[in-house]
């Protein structure tokens, strides 16, 4: 026991960790009863837990005491507090890696929900996740494929082309077929650290509940426990990749990498190598002659089909997982990272379609009714605002298709900051399927804001969503139709609505061109669906 303690303290001193006693004590208790656990593992648990506890306590103290007596309209002071807290938590995510980076990546997509200081600080995690050494990569490949890396690949770039929270990707060339491939290799310590991190995050969430009783983080803990084992299995990711490729084989502007199964295992995924830029990289699009509005249209079509028609949703949508390329003069989106998908039941999908229909019309009673059917209950008002990215006044005024009901990012951020406790309660209360849909909405609107760099956008995404929502509802009604007259009415209503939507989409496209100012006056103030 004395030797264990000395080695643990030496490891802590070597890593220059000053905090750690609160969380570390918990880890020692957890691992101390297991005699098979090495001193290094105990020390690692102590270091990671202590580091997380120290950073979170620092963030909590900033908000608990630095905001004491500060007026809500003192933007300069609040901005400084937001910046310091965001930088501290971002540093924690970068150093600890793994699950911490996944949480940080999601924060980086919430352009319109969180203060801009958080969004700016966490954006770096999409492309700047910590990298594993080449020696570490070689060990994982050898252990998983049963052969040395040099025997499998004739070329293997030592520097990864991308690094994420759980793995990193290298360009390589297969020795057997001379094909260029992308090899996704799981970080060697991710599996081991994930168990520690799950306990740590749960511990910190409980701690935050005590410090800030108005916040609830059970939804985050539940999501991590449910999804992490699936994301750590690259065989399942390959199967998901092939399934979504089959579902979208009729979508020419979407591409999914081919999987090479003979070189794939639980921790190594070998797939087709595809060149492109990140979907929110405006400079790349400009250099390659790619139309940003076209990219946004394709993006919203793909994810709208997933939600409204296919009922099969990509669960980790952030800009780092979507690439854009131009091949033979045609723009194409490449969907990456298929580790986790969510299948929606038909009842859930149709009820969500009806909620969107009510939002488009600004029908308060129907919004309340459909939100309750989805399990939202008393939080229907705030949930509707989160889905539509509009204030309640905008939604109930004339509907979110009103040309004057634009996506005002600054106003939404200010409103969201004041309602963070209520938002956390909504996320803890609503079904988990809805949380994934909200993440998808975050991706679409966040990218639209970053590419077009205007607060007055959001219409294009809504119009594409409305199109597929209408299509799904029409198909559902036709399946239930029992008379020729009823079928004819459904087709007529669908046709009229689609004509209106196409007109709105055309006018929206024109509004993004030089003649937009002239055509703006022709945009109808409201369209009834």
């Amino acid at each position: 026991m004395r030797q264990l303690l000395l080695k643990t303290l030496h490891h802590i001193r070597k890593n220059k960790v000053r905090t750690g006693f609160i969380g570390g004590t918990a880890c020692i208790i957890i691992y101390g009863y297991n005699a098979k656990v090495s001193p290094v593992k105990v020390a690692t648990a102590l270091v990671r837990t202590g580091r997380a506890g120290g950073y979170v306590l620092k963030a909590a103290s900033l908000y608990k005491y630095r905001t004491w007596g500060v007026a809500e309209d003192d933007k300069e002071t609040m901005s400084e507090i937001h910046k310091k807290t965001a930088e501290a938590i971002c540093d924690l995510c970068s150093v600890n890696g793994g699950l911490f980076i996944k949480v940080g990546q999601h924060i980086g997509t919430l352009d319109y929900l969180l203060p801009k200081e958080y969004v700016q600080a966490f954006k770096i995690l999409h492309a700047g996740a910590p990298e594993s050494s080449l020696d570490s990569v070689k060990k994982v490949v050898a252990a998983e494929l049963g052969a040395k890396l040099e025997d499998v690949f004739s070329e293997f770039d030592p520097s990864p082309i991308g690094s994420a929270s759980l793995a990193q990707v290298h360009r390589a060339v297969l020795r057997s077929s001379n094909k260029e491939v992308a090899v996704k290799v799981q970080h060697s310590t991710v599996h081991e650290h994930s168990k520690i991190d799950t306990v740590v995050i749960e511990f910190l969430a409980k701690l935050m509940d005590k410090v800030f009783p108005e916040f609830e983080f059970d939804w985050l803990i539940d999501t991590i426990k449910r999804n992490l084992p699936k994301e750590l299995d690259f065989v399942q990711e390959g199967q998901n990749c092939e399934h979504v490729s089959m579902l979208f084989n009729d979508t020419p502007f979407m591409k999914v990498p081919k999987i090479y199964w003979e070189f794939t295992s639980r921790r190594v995924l070998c797939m087709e190598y595809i060149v492109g830029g990140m979907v929110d990289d405006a400079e790349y699009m400009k250099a390659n002659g790619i139309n940003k509005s076209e990219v946004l249209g394709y993006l919203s079509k793909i994810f709208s089909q997933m939600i409204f028609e296919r009922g099969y949703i990509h669960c980790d949508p952030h800009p780092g997982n979507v690439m854009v390329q131009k091949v033979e003069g045609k723009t194409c989106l490449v969907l990456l990272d298929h580790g986790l998908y969510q299948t929606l039941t038909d009842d859930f999908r149709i009820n969500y379609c009806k909620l969107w229909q009510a939002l488009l019309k600004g029908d308060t009673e129907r919004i309340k009714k459909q939100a309750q059917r989805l399990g939202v209950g008393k939080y229907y008002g705030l949930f509707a605002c989160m889905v539509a990215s509009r204030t309640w006044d905008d939604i109930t005024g004339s509907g979110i298709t009103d040309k004057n009901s634009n996506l005002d990012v600054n106003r939404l951020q200010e409103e969201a900051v004041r309602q963070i406790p209520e938002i956390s309660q909504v996320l803890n209360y609503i079904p988990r399927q809805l949380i994934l849909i909200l993440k998808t909405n975050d991706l679409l609107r966040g990218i639209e804001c970053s590419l077009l760099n205007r607060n007055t956008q959001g219409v294009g995404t809504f119009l594409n969503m409305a199109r597929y929502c209408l299509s799904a509802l029409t198909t559902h009604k036709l399946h239930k139709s029992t008379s020729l007259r009823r079928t004819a009415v459904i087709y007529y209503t669908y046709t009229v609505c689609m004509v209106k939507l196409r007109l709105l989409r055309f006018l929206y496209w024109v509004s993004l061109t030089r003649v937009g100012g002239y055509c703006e006056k022709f945009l109808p103030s409201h369209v009834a669906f």
Side-chain angles (χ1 to χ4, degrees):
M1 186 64 184
R2 182 173 178 274
Q3 184 180 9
L4 170 64
L5 180 61
L6 289 175
K7 288 185 176 180
T8 300
L9 292 174
H10 172 72
H11 187 75
I12 295 172
R13 190 183 307 113
K14 183 180 178 181
N15 284 274
K16 299 180 181 180
V17 178
R18 297 179 181 178
T19 61
F21 297 103
I22 296 177
T25 302
C27 275
I28 290 177
I29 293 173
I30 293 172
Y31 288 97
Y33 289 104
N34 189 344
K36 297 180 180 180
V37 176
S38 68
V40 174
K41 288 186 177 181
V42 175
T44 300
L46 179 60
V47 168
R48 294 174 64 81
T49 306
R51 184 189 295 125
Y55 276 108
V56 170
L57 286 175
K58 178 182 178 181
S61 63
L62 279 171
Y63 280 114
K64 198 74 174 178
Y65 300 109
R66 288 287 300 278
T67 58
W68 186 270
V70 176
E72 289 187 4
D73 57 352
D74 188 350
K75 295 183 179 180
E76 185 175 346
T77 302
M78 290 304 302
S79 177
E80 181 184 355
I81 295 174
H82 290 324
K83 183 179 180 181
K84 288 183 177 180
T85 308
E87 289 175 349
I89 298 177
C90 187
D91 288 343
L92 166 64
C93 293
S94 297
V95 176
N96 268 10
L99 291 182
F100 291 88
I101 288 183
K102 291 192 73 65
V103 174
Q105 286 175 337
H106 182 49
I107 292 175
T109 64
L110 305 179
D111 294 72
Y112 64 94
L113 274 183
L114 291 180
K116 60 181 181 297
E117 292 82 6
Y118 278 86
V119 176
Q120 292 168 356
F122 283 88
K123 285 287 187 183
I124 191 175
L125 295 179
H126 289 303
E131 299 175 1
S132 295
S133 66
L134 182 60
D135 288 339
S136 176
V137 170
K138 287 182 177 181
K139 290 179 181 179
V140 174
V141 171
E144 292 295 309
L145 302 184
K148 292 183 178 180
L149 184 144
E150 296 80 6
D151 296 336
V152 179
F153 305 104
S154 57
E155 294 181 27
F156 193 92
D157 290 352
S159 299
I161 56 178
S163 182
S165 55
L166 304 181
Q168 62 190 45
V169 181
H170 293 258
R171 176 201 161 274
V173 176
L174 289 173
R175 187 173 293 279
S176 59
S177 60
N178 205 36
K179 290 183 178 179
E180 194 174 24
V181 295
V183 185
K184 183 176 180 180
V185 183
Q186 195 173 109
H187 298 308
S188 59
T189 59
V190 141
H191 189 270
E192 175 185 326
H193 286 172
S194 65
K195 298 177 182 179
I196 299 173
D197 291 345
T198 302
V199 176
V200 171
I201 291 176
E202 185 170 9
F203 169 76
L204 294 176
K206 299 298 183 184
L207 178 63
M208 292 297 289
D209 282 340
K210 299 296 183 182
V211 179
F212 299 101
E214 64 271 23
F215 291 88
E216 296 184 27
F217 298 98
D218 291 345
W219 64 274
L220 179 61
I221 299 170
D222 181 65
T223 301
I224 291 173
K225 287 183 175 180
R226 186 198 306 263
N227 296 335
L228 185 61
K230 300 176 184 178
E231 294 186 82
L232 291 175
D233 185 358
F234 288 173
V235 173
Q236 181 167 333
E237 178 174 347
Q239 293 170 346
N240 291 340
C241 188
E242 291 191 339
H243 183 60
V244 78
S245 178
M246 180 185 66
L247 283 179
F248 286 87
N249 60 2
D250 58 346
T251 307
F253 51 80
M254 174 181 163
K255 189 171 185 179
V256 175
K258 176 184 176 183
I259 304 298
Y260 295 92
W261 285 108
E262 59 269 36
F263 306 106
T264 294
S265 68
R266 288 181 62 86
R267 294 199 295 165
V268 175
L269 180 63
C270 187
M271 52 191 165
E272 177 186 2
Y273 180 74
I274 301 176
V275 178
M278 288 178 63
V279 73
D280 62 348
D281 189 345
E283 293 300 322
Y284 175 86
M285 296 184 198
K286 182 179 180 181
N288 289 272
I290 298 175
N291 186 291
K292 293 185 290 186
S293 298
E294 185 179 31
V295 170
L296 291 171
Y298 287 165
L299 190 67
S300 61
K301 287 177 182 178
I302 289 172
F303 284 97
S304 294
Q305 286 184 56
M306 285 185 175
I307 294 172
F308 296 115
E309 293 187 341
R310 321 280 176 159
Y312 193 67
I313 306 178
H314 190 290
C315 292
D316 194 17
H318 63 76
N321 286 340
V322 185
M323 290 198 327
V324 59
Q325 62 173 189
K326 199 161 190 176
V327 180
E328 299 179 354
K330 295 182 178 180
T331 301
C332 180
L333 297 185
V334 183
L335 199 59
L336 306 174
D337 197 349
H338 302 269
L340 193 62
Y341 275 83
Q342 174 71 55
T343 302
L344 305 181
T345 63
D346 287 340
D347 287 343
F348 181 92
R349 181 174 56 84
I350 294 302
N351 282 327
Y352 186 73
C353 288
K354 291 179 179 179
L355 173 66
W356 255 94
Q357 189 180 41
L359 289 171
L360 292 166
K361 294 179 65 176
D363 189 332
T364 307
E365 289 302 318
R366 290 189 63 189
I367 291 173
K368 181 178 180 179
K369 178 180 178 181
Q370 293 306 136
Q372 289 177 341
R373 286 185 175 180
L374 288 169
V376 176
K378 62 181 179 180
Y379 298 107
Y380 71 91
L382 183 55
F383 175 72
C385 296
M386 294 167 67
V387 171
S389 299
R390 299 291 194 274
T391 65
W392 184 247
D393 290 339
D394 285 339
I395 294 173
T396 57
S398 57
I400 57 179
T401 52
D402 186 344
K403 67 174 182 179
N404 296 315
S405 175
N406 292 315
L407 180 56
D408 188 336
V409 176
N410 293 329
R411 184 175 59 159
L412 283 170
Q413 286 178 337
E414 292 174 0
E415 289 287 335
V417 169
R418 288 194 291 266
Q419 298 188 64
I420 286 178
E422 290 79 8
I423 291 174
S424 71
Q425 291 176 13
V426 172
L427 293 174
N428 190 59
Y429 184 83
I430 63 177
R432 298 296 173 255
Q433 297 176 93
L434 287 176
I435 293 178
L436 298 174
I437 291 176
L438 289 175
K439 285 181 65 176
T440 302
N441 293 343
D442 294 340
L443 168 76
L444 296 176
R445 289 158 203 158
I447 292 176
E448 188 163 8
C449 289
S450 63
L451 286 182
L452 298 180
N453 196 26
R454 291 171 60 186
N455 283 340
T456 56
Q457 297 309 315
V459 181
T461 296
F462 283 126
L463 292 178
N464 277 319
M465 285 188 163
R467 172 188 173 189
Y468 289 101
C469 171
L470 177 63
S471 176
L473 283 175
T474 301
T475 302
H476 175 70
K477 290 177 181 178
L478 287 173
H479 285 163
K480 296 178 64 177
S481 178
T482 57
S483 67
L484 183 61
R485 181 177 178 278
R486 172 68 174 165
T487 301
V489 170
I490 293 172
Y491 271 118
Y492 173 77
T493 305
Y494 174 76
T495 303
V496 171
C497 291
M498 286 301 295
V499 169
K500 291 181 179 179
L501 276 176
R502 289 183 183 278
L503 176 62
L504 279 173
R505 289 172 63 200
F506 171 74
L507 292 175
Y508 170 69
W509 173 80
V510 171
S511 71
L512 298 179
T513 66
R514 294 179 180 178
V515 295
Y518 173 77
C519 294
E520 177 70 17
K521 62 182 180 180
F522 294 106
L523 278 169
S525 61
H526 175 63
V527 178
F529 290 90

